[in-house]
Coordinates of all heavy atoms in Angstrom, one line a residue:
M1 N -4.4 31.0 -18.5 CA -4.9 29.6 -18.2 C -6.2 29.4 -19.0 O -7.1 30.2 -19.0 CB -5.2 29.4 -16.7 CG -5.5 28.0 -16.3 SD -4.2 26.8 -16.4 CE -3.0 27.3 -15.3
V2 N -6.2 28.3 -19.8 CA -7.4 28.0 -20.6 C -8.2 27.0 -19.8 O -7.6 26.0 -19.3 CB -6.9 27.3 -21.9 CG1 -8.2 26.9 -22.8 CG2 -6.1 28.3 -22.7
Q3 N -9.5 27.2 -19.7 CA -10.3 26.3 -18.9 C -11.4 25.8 -19.9 O -11.8 26.4 -20.8 CB -11.0 27.0 -17.8 CG -10.0 27.6 -16.8 CD -10.7 28.4 -15.8 OE1 -11.7 29.1 -16.0 NE2 -10.1 28.5 -14.6
A4 N -11.9 24.6 -19.6 CA -13.0 24.0 -20.4 C -13.8 23.0 -19.6 O -13.3 22.4 -18.5 CB -12.4 23.3 -21.6
Y5 N -15.0 22.8 -20.0 CA -15.8 21.6 -19.5 C -15.8 20.5 -20.5 O -15.9 20.8 -21.7 CB -17.3 22.1 -19.3 CG -17.4 23.0 -18.1 CD1 -17.4 24.4 -18.3 CD2 -17.5 22.5 -16.8 CE1 -17.5 25.3 -17.2 CE2 -17.6 23.4 -15.7 CZ -17.6 24.8 -15.9 OH -17.7 25.6 -14.8
I6 N -15.6 19.3 -20.1 CA -15.5 18.1 -20.9 C -16.8 17.3 -20.6 O -17.0 16.9 -19.5 CB -14.3 17.2 -20.7 CG1 -13.0 18.1 -20.7 CG2 -14.3 16.2 -21.8 CD1 -12.8 18.9 -22.0
L7 N -17.7 17.2 -21.6 CA -18.9 16.5 -21.4 C -18.6 15.1 -21.9 O -18.1 14.9 -23.1 CB -20.1 17.1 -22.2 CG -20.3 18.6 -22.0 CD1 -21.4 19.1 -22.8 CD2 -20.6 18.9 -20.5
I8 N -18.9 14.1 -21.1 CA -18.4 12.7 -21.4 C -19.6 11.7 -21.4 O -20.4 11.7 -20.5 CB -17.4 12.3 -20.3 CG1 -16.2 13.3 -20.3 CG2 -16.9 10.9 -20.5 CD1 -15.4 13.2 -19.0
Q9 N -19.6 10.9 -22.4 CA -20.5 9.7 -22.5 C -19.7 8.5 -22.2 O -18.6 8.4 -22.7 CB -21.2 9.6 -23.8 CG -22.2 10.8 -24.1 CD -22.9 10.7 -25.4 OE1 -22.3 10.1 -26.4 NE2 -24.0 11.3 -25.5
T10 N -20.3 7.6 -21.4 CA -19.6 6.4 -21.0 C -20.4 5.1 -21.4 O -21.6 5.2 -21.8 CB -19.3 6.3 -19.5 OG1 -20.6 6.1 -18.8 CG2 -18.6 7.6 -19.0
E11 N -19.7 4.0 -21.3 CA -20.4 2.7 -21.4 C -21.4 2.6 -20.2 O -21.2 3.2 -19.2 CB -19.4 1.6 -21.4 CG -18.5 1.5 -22.5 CD -17.3 0.5 -22.3 OE1 -17.2 -0.1 -21.3 OE2 -16.6 0.4 -23.3
V12 N -22.5 1.8 -20.4 CA -23.5 1.7 -19.4 C -22.9 1.2 -18.1 O -22.1 0.2 -18.1 CB -24.6 0.7 -19.9 CG1 -25.6 0.5 -18.8 CG2 -25.3 1.3 -21.1
G13 N -23.2 1.9 -17.0 CA -22.7 1.4 -15.7 C -21.3 1.9 -15.4 O -20.8 1.5 -14.3
R14 N -20.6 2.7 -16.2 CA -19.3 3.0 -16.0 C -19.1 4.5 -15.5 O -18.0 4.9 -15.3 CB -18.5 2.9 -17.2 CG -18.4 1.4 -17.8 CD -17.7 0.5 -16.9 NE -16.4 1.0 -16.4 CZ -15.2 0.6 -17.0 NH1 -15.2 -0.2 -18.0 NH2 -14.1 1.2 -16.5
A15 N -20.1 5.3 -15.4 CA -20.0 6.7 -15.1 C -19.2 7.0 -13.8 O -18.3 7.9 -13.8 CB -21.4 7.4 -15.0
A16 N -19.5 6.3 -12.7 CA -18.8 6.6 -11.5 C -17.4 6.3 -11.6 O -16.5 7.1 -11.1 CB -19.5 5.9 -10.3
A17 N -17.1 5.2 -12.2 CA -15.6 4.8 -12.3 C -14.9 5.7 -13.2 O -13.7 6.0 -12.9 CB -15.6 3.3 -12.8
V18 N -15.5 6.1 -14.3 CA -14.8 7.0 -15.2 C -14.6 8.4 -14.5 O -13.5 9.0 -14.6 CB -15.7 7.2 -16.5 CG1 -15.2 8.4 -17.3 CG2 -15.6 5.9 -17.3
A19 N -15.6 8.9 -13.8 CA -15.4 10.2 -13.1 C -14.3 10.1 -12.1 O -13.5 11.0 -12.0 CB -16.7 10.6 -12.4
Q20 N -14.2 9.0 -11.3 CA -13.1 8.9 -10.4 C -11.8 8.8 -11.1 O -10.8 9.4 -10.6 CB -13.3 7.6 -9.6 CG -12.3 7.4 -8.5 CD -12.1 8.5 -7.5 OE1 -13.2 9.0 -6.9 NE2 -11.0 9.1 -7.4
A21 N -11.7 8.1 -12.2 CA -10.4 7.9 -12.9 C -10.0 9.3 -13.4 O -8.8 9.7 -13.4 CB -10.5 6.9 -14.0
I22 N -10.9 10.0 -14.0 CA -10.6 11.3 -14.6 C -10.2 12.3 -13.4 O -9.3 13.2 -13.6 CB -11.8 11.9 -15.3 CG1 -12.0 11.1 -16.6 CG2 -11.6 13.4 -15.7 CD1 -13.3 11.4 -17.3
A23 N -10.8 12.3 -12.3 CA -10.5 13.2 -11.2 C -9.0 13.1 -10.8 O -8.5 14.1 -10.3 CB -11.4 12.9 -10.0
D24 N -8.4 12.0 -11.0 CA -7.0 11.8 -10.6 C -6.0 12.3 -11.7 O -4.8 12.2 -11.4 CB -6.8 10.3 -10.3 CG -7.5 9.8 -9.1 OD1 -7.9 10.6 -8.3 OD2 -7.8 8.6 -9.1
I25 N -6.4 12.8 -12.8 CA -5.6 13.2 -13.9 C -5.1 14.7 -13.6 O -6.0 15.5 -13.3 CB -6.3 13.1 -15.2 CG1 -6.6 11.7 -15.6 CG2 -5.4 13.8 -16.3 CD1 -7.5 11.5 -16.8
P26 N -3.8 14.9 -13.6 CA -3.4 16.3 -13.4 C -4.0 17.3 -14.5 O -4.1 16.9 -15.7 CB -1.9 16.2 -13.6 CG -1.5 14.8 -13.3 CD -2.7 14.0 -13.8
G27 N -4.5 18.4 -14.0 CA -5.2 19.3 -14.9 C -6.7 19.3 -14.8 O -7.4 20.2 -15.3
V28 N -7.2 18.2 -14.2 CA -8.6 18.1 -14.0 C -8.9 18.7 -12.6 O -8.5 18.2 -11.6 CB -9.1 16.6 -14.1 CG1 -10.6 16.5 -13.7 CG2 -8.8 16.1 -15.4
A29 N -9.7 19.8 -12.6 CA -10.1 20.5 -11.4 C -11.2 19.8 -10.7 O -11.4 19.8 -9.5 CB -10.4 21.9 -11.7
L30 N -12.2 19.2 -11.5 CA -13.4 18.6 -11.0 C -13.9 17.6 -12.0 O -13.9 17.8 -13.2 CB -14.4 19.7 -10.7 CG -15.8 19.3 -10.3 CD1 -15.7 18.7 -8.8 CD2 -16.8 20.4 -10.3
A31 N -14.4 16.5 -11.5 CA -15.0 15.5 -12.3 C -16.2 14.8 -11.5 O -15.9 14.3 -10.4 CB -14.0 14.4 -12.8
E32 N -17.4 14.8 -12.1 CA -18.5 14.3 -11.4 C -19.4 13.5 -12.4 O -19.5 13.8 -13.6 CB -19.4 15.4 -10.8 CG -18.6 16.1 -9.7 CD -19.5 17.2 -9.1 OE1 -20.0 18.1 -9.8 OE2 -19.6 17.1 -7.8
D33 N -20.0 12.4 -11.9 CA -21.0 11.7 -12.7 C -22.3 12.4 -12.5 O -22.6 12.9 -11.5 CB -21.1 10.2 -12.4 CG -21.2 9.9 -10.9 OD1 -20.5 10.6 -10.1 OD2 -21.9 9.0 -10.6
V34 N -23.1 12.5 -13.6 CA -24.3 13.3 -13.7 C -25.4 12.5 -14.4 O -25.1 11.5 -15.0 CB -24.1 14.7 -14.4 CG1 -23.1 15.5 -13.6 CG2 -23.6 14.5 -15.8
T35 N -26.6 13.1 -14.4 CA -27.7 12.5 -15.2 C -27.9 13.4 -16.4 O -27.5 14.5 -16.5 CB -29.0 12.4 -14.4 OG1 -29.4 13.7 -14.0 CG2 -28.8 11.5 -13.1
G36 N -28.6 12.8 -17.4 CA -28.9 13.5 -18.6 C -28.2 12.9 -19.8 O -27.9 11.7 -19.8
P37 N -28.1 13.6 -20.9 CA -27.5 13.0 -22.1 C -26.0 12.7 -22.0 O -25.5 11.9 -22.7 CB -27.7 14.1 -23.2 CG -27.9 15.4 -22.4 CD -28.5 15.0 -21.1
Y38 N -25.3 13.3 -21.0 CA -23.9 12.9 -20.7 C -23.8 12.3 -19.3 O -24.7 12.5 -18.5 CB -23.0 14.2 -20.7 CG -23.0 14.8 -22.1 CD1 -23.9 15.7 -22.6 CD2 -22.0 14.3 -23.1 CE1 -23.8 16.2 -23.9 CE2 -22.0 14.7 -24.4 CZ -22.9 15.7 -24.8 OH -22.9 16.2 -26.1
D39 N -22.8 11.5 -19.2 CA -22.7 10.6 -17.9 C -21.8 11.3 -16.9 O -21.9 11.1 -15.7 CB -22.3 9.2 -18.3 CG -23.2 8.6 -19.3 OD1 -24.4 8.5 -19.0 OD2 -22.7 8.2 -20.4
C40 N -20.8 12.1 -17.4 CA -19.8 12.7 -16.6 C -19.5 14.1 -17.1 O -19.6 14.3 -18.3 CB -18.5 12.0 -16.5 SG -18.5 10.3 -15.9
I41 N -19.2 15.0 -16.2 CA -18.7 16.3 -16.6 C -17.4 16.6 -15.9 O -17.3 16.4 -14.7 CB -19.7 17.4 -16.3 CG1 -21.0 17.2 -17.2 CG2 -19.1 18.8 -16.6 CD1 -22.1 18.2 -17.0
A42 N -16.4 17.1 -16.6 CA -15.1 17.4 -16.0 C -14.8 18.9 -16.3 O -15.0 19.3 -17.4 CB -14.0 16.5 -16.5
R43 N -14.2 19.6 -15.3 CA -13.7 20.9 -15.6 C -12.2 20.8 -15.6 O -11.6 20.2 -14.6 CB -14.1 21.9 -14.5 CG -13.6 23.3 -14.8 CD -14.3 24.4 -14.0 NE -13.6 25.6 -14.3 CZ -14.2 26.7 -14.8 NH1 -15.5 26.6 -15.0 NH2 -13.6 27.8 -15.0
V44 N -11.6 21.2 -16.6 CA -10.1 21.1 -16.8 C -9.5 22.4 -17.0 O -10.1 23.4 -17.5 CB -9.8 20.1 -18.0 CG1 -10.4 18.7 -17.7 CG2 -10.3 20.6 -19.3
E45 N -8.1 22.5 -16.8 CA -7.3 23.6 -16.9 C -6.0 23.3 -17.6 O -5.4 22.2 -17.2 CB -7.1 24.4 -15.6 CG -8.3 24.8 -14.9 CD -8.0 25.4 -13.5 OE1 -6.9 25.1 -12.9 OE2 -8.8 26.1 -13.0
A46 N -5.5 24.1 -18.4 CA -4.2 23.9 -19.1 C -3.6 25.3 -19.4 O -4.4 26.3 -19.6 CB -4.3 23.1 -20.3
P47 N -2.3 25.4 -19.5 CA -1.7 26.7 -19.9 C -2.0 27.2 -21.2 O -2.1 28.5 -21.4 CB -0.2 26.4 -19.8 CG 0.0 25.1 -19.1 CD -1.3 24.4 -19.3
T48 N -2.3 26.4 -22.2 CA -2.6 26.8 -23.6 C -3.7 25.9 -24.2 O -3.9 24.8 -23.7 CB -1.3 26.7 -24.5 OG1 -1.0 25.3 -24.6 CG2 -0.1 27.5 -23.9
V49 N -4.2 26.4 -25.3 CA -5.2 25.6 -26.0 C -4.6 24.3 -26.5 O -5.2 23.2 -26.4 CB -5.8 26.4 -27.2 CG1 -6.7 25.5 -28.1 CG2 -6.6 27.5 -26.7
D50 N -3.3 24.3 -26.9 CA -2.6 23.1 -27.4 C -2.5 22.1 -26.3 O -2.7 20.9 -26.4 CB -1.3 23.4 -28.0 CG -1.4 24.1 -29.3 OD1 -2.4 23.9 -30.0 OD2 -0.4 24.7 -29.8
E51 N -2.1 22.6 -25.1 CA -2.0 21.7 -23.9 C -3.3 21.2 -23.5 O -3.4 20.0 -23.0 CB -1.3 22.4 -22.7 CG 0.2 22.7 -23.0 CD 1.0 21.5 -23.2 OE1 0.9 20.5 -22.4 OE2 1.8 21.4 -24.1
L52 N -4.4 21.9 -23.6 CA -5.7 21.5 -23.3 C -6.1 20.3 -24.2 O -6.6 19.3 -23.8 CB -6.7 22.6 -23.4 CG -8.2 22.2 -23.2 CD1 -8.4 22.0 -21.7 CD2 -9.1 23.3 -23.6
G53 N -5.8 20.5 -25.5 CA -6.1 19.4 -26.5 C -5.3 18.1 -26.2 O -5.9 17.0 -26.2
K54 N -4.1 18.3 -25.8 CA -3.3 17.1 -25.4 C -3.8 16.4 -24.2 O -3.9 15.2 -24.1 CB -1.8 17.5 -25.2 CG -1.1 17.9 -26.4 CD 0.3 18.4 -26.1 CE 1.0 19.0 -27.3 NZ 2.3 19.5 -27.0
L55 N -4.3 17.2 -23.2 CA -4.9 16.7 -22.0 C -6.1 15.8 -22.3 O -6.3 14.7 -21.9 CB -5.2 17.8 -21.0 CG -6.1 17.4 -19.8 CD1 -5.3 16.4 -18.9 CD2 -6.5 18.6 -19.0
V56 N -7.0 16.4 -23.2 CA -8.2 15.6 -23.5 C -7.9 14.4 -24.4 O -8.4 13.3 -24.1 CB -9.2 16.6 -24.3 CG1 -10.4 15.8 -24.9 CG2 -9.6 17.7 -23.5
I57 N -7.1 14.5 -25.4 CA -6.8 13.4 -26.3 C -5.9 12.3 -25.7 O -6.2 11.1 -25.7 CB -6.2 13.9 -27.6 CG1 -7.3 14.7 -28.4 CG2 -5.7 12.8 -28.5 CD1 -6.7 15.5 -29.5
A58 N -4.8 12.7 -25.0 CA -3.9 11.8 -24.5 C -4.2 11.2 -23.2 O -3.7 10.1 -22.8 CB -2.5 12.4 -24.5
K59 N -5.0 12.0 -22.4 CA -5.2 11.5 -21.0 C -6.7 11.1 -20.8 O -7.0 10.0 -20.4 CB -4.8 12.6 -20.0 CG -3.4 13.0 -20.1 CD -2.4 12.0 -19.6 CE -1.0 12.5 -19.6 NZ 0.0 11.5 -19.3
I60 N -7.6 12.0 -21.0 CA -9.0 11.8 -20.7 C -9.6 10.8 -21.6 O -10.2 9.8 -21.2 CB -9.8 13.1 -20.7 CG1 -9.3 14.0 -19.6 CG2 -11.3 12.8 -20.6 CD1 -9.9 15.4 -19.5
Q61 N -9.4 10.9 -22.9 CA -10.0 9.9 -23.9 C -9.5 8.5 -23.8 O -10.0 7.6 -24.3 CB -9.9 10.4 -25.3 CG -10.8 11.6 -25.6 CD -10.8 12.1 -27.0 OE1 -9.9 11.7 -27.8 NE2 -11.7 13.0 -27.4
E62 N -8.3 8.4 -23.1 CA -7.7 7.1 -22.9 C -8.3 6.3 -21.7 O -8.0 5.1 -21.6 CB -6.2 7.2 -22.8 CG -5.5 7.7 -24.0 CD -5.7 6.7 -25.2 OE1 -5.5 5.5 -25.0 OE2 -6.0 7.2 -26.3
V63 N -9.1 7.0 -20.9 CA -9.7 6.3 -19.7 C -10.7 5.2 -20.3 O -11.6 5.5 -21.1 CB -10.4 7.3 -18.8 CG1 -11.3 6.6 -17.8 CG2 -9.4 8.3 -18.2
E64 N -10.6 4.0 -19.7 CA -11.4 2.9 -20.2 C -12.9 3.2 -19.8 O -13.2 3.7 -18.7 CB -11.0 1.7 -19.4 CG -11.7 0.4 -20.0 CD -11.1 -0.9 -19.4 OE1 -9.9 -0.8 -19.0 OE2 -11.8 -1.8 -19.4
G65 N -13.8 3.0 -20.7 CA -15.2 3.1 -20.5 C -15.8 4.4 -21.2 O -17.0 4.5 -21.2
I66 N -14.9 5.3 -21.6 CA -15.4 6.5 -22.3 C -15.8 6.1 -23.8 O -15.0 5.5 -24.5 CB -14.4 7.6 -22.2 CG1 -14.2 8.1 -20.8 CG2 -14.8 8.8 -23.2 CD1 -13.2 9.2 -20.6
T67 N -16.9 6.6 -24.2 CA -17.3 6.4 -25.6 C -17.3 7.6 -26.5 O -17.1 7.6 -27.7 CB -18.7 5.7 -25.7 OG1 -19.6 6.6 -25.1 CG2 -18.7 4.4 -25.0
R68 N -17.4 8.8 -25.8 CA -17.4 10.1 -26.6 C -17.2 11.2 -25.6 O -17.7 11.2 -24.5 CB -18.8 10.2 -27.3 CG -18.9 11.5 -28.1 CD -20.2 11.6 -28.8 NE -20.2 10.6 -29.8 CZ -21.2 10.3 -30.6 NH1 -22.3 10.9 -30.4 NH2 -21.1 9.4 -31.5
T69 N -16.5 12.3 -26.1 CA -16.3 13.5 -25.3 C -16.7 14.7 -26.2 O -16.7 14.7 -27.4 CB -14.9 13.7 -24.8 OG1 -14.0 13.8 -26.0 CG2 -14.4 12.5 -24.0
L70 N -17.1 15.8 -25.5 CA -17.4 17.0 -26.1 C -16.7 18.1 -25.3 O -17.0 18.2 -24.1 CB -18.9 17.3 -26.2 CG -19.3 18.7 -26.8 CD1 -18.9 18.8 -28.2 CD2 -20.8 18.8 -26.6
T71 N -15.8 18.9 -25.9 CA -15.0 19.9 -25.2 C -15.7 21.3 -25.4 O -15.9 21.7 -26.5 CB -13.6 19.9 -25.6 OG1 -13.0 18.7 -25.4 CG2 -12.8 21.0 -24.9
C72 N -16.0 21.9 -24.2 CA -16.6 23.3 -24.3 C -15.7 24.2 -23.6 O -15.6 24.3 -22.3 CB -18.0 23.3 -23.5 SG -19.2 22.1 -24.2
T73 N -14.9 25.0 -24.4 CA -14.0 25.9 -23.8 C -14.7 27.1 -23.2 O -15.6 27.7 -23.7 CB -13.0 26.4 -24.9 OG1 -12.5 25.3 -25.6 CG2 -11.9 27.3 -24.4
V74 N -14.2 27.5 -22.0 CA -14.7 28.7 -21.3 C -14.2 29.9 -22.0 O -13.0 30.0 -22.2 CB -14.3 28.7 -19.8 CG1 -14.7 29.9 -19.1 CG2 -14.8 27.4 -19.1
V75 N -15.1 30.9 -22.2 CA -14.7 32.1 -22.8 C -15.2 33.3 -21.8 O -16.2 33.2 -21.2 CB -15.3 32.4 -24.2 CG1 -14.8 31.4 -25.2 CG2 -16.9 32.3 -24.2
H76 N -14.4 34.3 -21.8 CA -14.7 35.5 -20.9 C -14.9 36.7 -21.9 O -14.0 37.1 -22.5 CB -13.6 35.7 -20.0 CG -13.3 34.6 -19.1 ND1 -14.0 34.3 -18.0 CD2 -12.4 33.6 -19.1 CE1 -13.6 33.2 -17.4 NE2 -12.6 32.8 -18.1
V77 N -16.1 37.1 -22.0 CA -16.5 38.3 -22.9 C -16.9 39.5 -22.1 O -17.3 39.4 -21.0 CB -17.6 37.9 -23.9 CG1 -17.0 36.9 -24.9 CG2 -18.8 37.3 -23.2

């Protein structure tokens, strides 16, 4: 299982709505609105790196109000 944190910037005033919409997407383990340079952070899981990419591009980035995402894949060393 591939896991990643998705750091999300949103339009002004949209962080809570975006976090709620993302939380309902299959593969998203957690989504919360936060303070700082990013407005939301989501933890996601997928069987492969390719499936993770599809989840981010086809599902998460399509949520209305998102302006930018940054994917940080979890590594175990």
Side-chain angles (χ1 to χ4, degrees):
M1 187 69 64
V2 179
Q3 300 172 328
Y5 288 95
I6 312 300
L7 309 178
I8 303 161
Q9 292 179 334
T10 70
E11 296 171 355
V12 174
R14 299 294 310 262
V18 166
Q20 181 58 52
I22 291 171
D24 294 335
I25 297 172
V28 175
L30 177 69
E32 297 183 299
D33 47 323
V34 296
T35 61
Y38 293 93
D39 303 304
C40 300
I41 296 178
R43 182 167 176 119
V44 300
E45 300 176 338
T48 67
V49 172
D50 287 342
E51 290 297 316
L52 179 71
K54 290 176 188 175
L55 171 64
V56 173
I57 293 168
K59 303 289 184 186
I60 293 176
Q61 289 183 349
E62 292 298 314
V63 171
E64 189 174 336
I66 291 178
T67 58
R68 179 176 292 173
T69 64
L70 175 66
T71 302
C72 302
T73 306
V74 174
V75 294
H76 301 279
V77 288

